[in-house]
Amino acid sequence: MTIMVFDIETVPDIEAYRKIYNHVTLEDDALYEAMLTQRRAQTGTEFLQHYLHQVVAISVVVRHQDWIKVWSLGEVDDQEAAILHRFYQGIERYTPSLVSWNGSGFDLPVLHYRSLKHGISAERYWEVGERDQKFKWNNYINRYHYRHLDVMDLLAGYQPRANAPLDDLAIMCGFPGKIGLKGDQVLEKYRGGHIEAIRDYCESDVLNTYLIFLRFQLMRGQLDEQSYAFECQLLEDYLAQNTKRHFTEFLQQWKAA
C-alpha cells in the first residue's frame, strides 16, 4: 500500500475576485483589502471562500514499498494548473491512501474548485465505482472512507468544536511543529516571489502530519512498537541524508524534543 500525506498553501485569487465583482479599476492592494472587508462583513472573519484560494504549493510525503520521499510538487515557477495536475498524476500512478490534516474541510474542497477552474481531468480521484468496483465503498470522496483519511477530522470525532491545530498537536506529541513561516506570512512571501520559502514551510507541515499519522496508526493497532520505530527511523534517515536546511532543522528539533 502506498501512503501519500499532503498539504497545500494558498493565496487569495485576486483576479477571480476582480472578475466576479467587476472591480476592474482597483489595484491589487486595494482589491485585497476589499476582499477582506467584504468577507468580514459577511462572516465576521477574513477567511475567504474556498474557491478564492489559489494554490501555490502542494507538498507530500510518499511512503511506497521500501522508500519514503518528501517534496513539493512541480517546479518553483510552475503555475497553479501544473501543480494541480502533478497531484492528480500521483493518484493515477499509485492509487495511494491519502492522508491529511483538515483535508476534508479545506485542502480537498480547494483542490476541487481550482481544478474545476482549470478543467483538470482526474478520473482516478473521482472514481466511486462506475469503472472500478473496489471504489464503490472506499473512495476519495466519501468522508468516512479510509482511501482519504483526514486525521484531524477523525480524531475530533467529526465534531468541528473538537478540531485541533496541527502545530499544537505536533508539539504535544513531541514533534517539531511549524518551522520557518507562519500561515499569515504566505501571501507576503508569495508577492515577494519567495516561493521556495512557502514550499519549505508546506513541507514542514506535511512532515508533522505524517508523524501524527504514524502515532495514530500505533494508537489504533495498525503499527506495533517495533514497526512504529522502524517507520520513524526510516524518515529520520531520509532527513539526515538530505541537505535541505529546513529538513536539517526539523530533524534537529525532532531529536531534541
Side-chain angles (χ1 to χ4, degrees), residues 178-230:
K178 293 182 181 295
I179 289 178
L181 307 181
K182 298 295 183 182
D184 58 4
Q185 296 176 304
V186 170
L187 179 59
E188 176 188 349
K189 292 295 182 181
Y190 175 77
R191 297 179 73 176
H194 304 295
I195 307 301
E196 195 68 60
I198 297 173
R199 288 158 64 98
D200 292 352
Y201 166 69
C202 194
E203 287 170 16
S204 74
D205 269 2
V206 83
L207 280 167
N208 282 301
T209 303
Y210 180 63
L211 288 174
I212 291 176
F213 167 71
L214 291 180
R215 185 70 61 84
F216 171 70
Q217 293 291 76
L218 173 66
M219 183 176 73
R220 74 187 192 101
Q222 296 300 301
L223 295 175
D224 58 22
E225 292 284 353
Q226 183 177 2
S227 55
Y228 172 75
F230 174 84

Side-chain angles (χ1 to χ4, degrees), residues 235-248:
L235 179 60
E236 182 177 326
D237 292 344
Y238 174 84
L239 296 175
Q241 294 164 9
N242 200 294
T243 59
K244 291 184 177 181
R245 186 174 62 181
H246 64 293
F247 283 172
T248 300

Side-chain angles (χ1 to χ4, degrees), residues 33-47:
E33 289 303 321
M35 293 175 76
L36 298 184
T37 299
Q38 182 183 48
R39 195 59 176 160
R40 283 194 298 267
Q42 291 172 336
T43 67
T45 75
E46 294 183 350
F47 186 79

Side-chain angles (χ1 to χ4, degrees), residues 100-123:
S100 69
W101 190 270
N102 196 30
S104 295
F106 179 69
D107 303 65
L108 288 182
V110 169
L111 295 180
H112 297 168
Y113 286 124
R114 305 307 294 185
S115 299
L116 189 71
K117 173 183 177 178
H118 296 292
I120 294 175
S121 178
E123 181 177 319

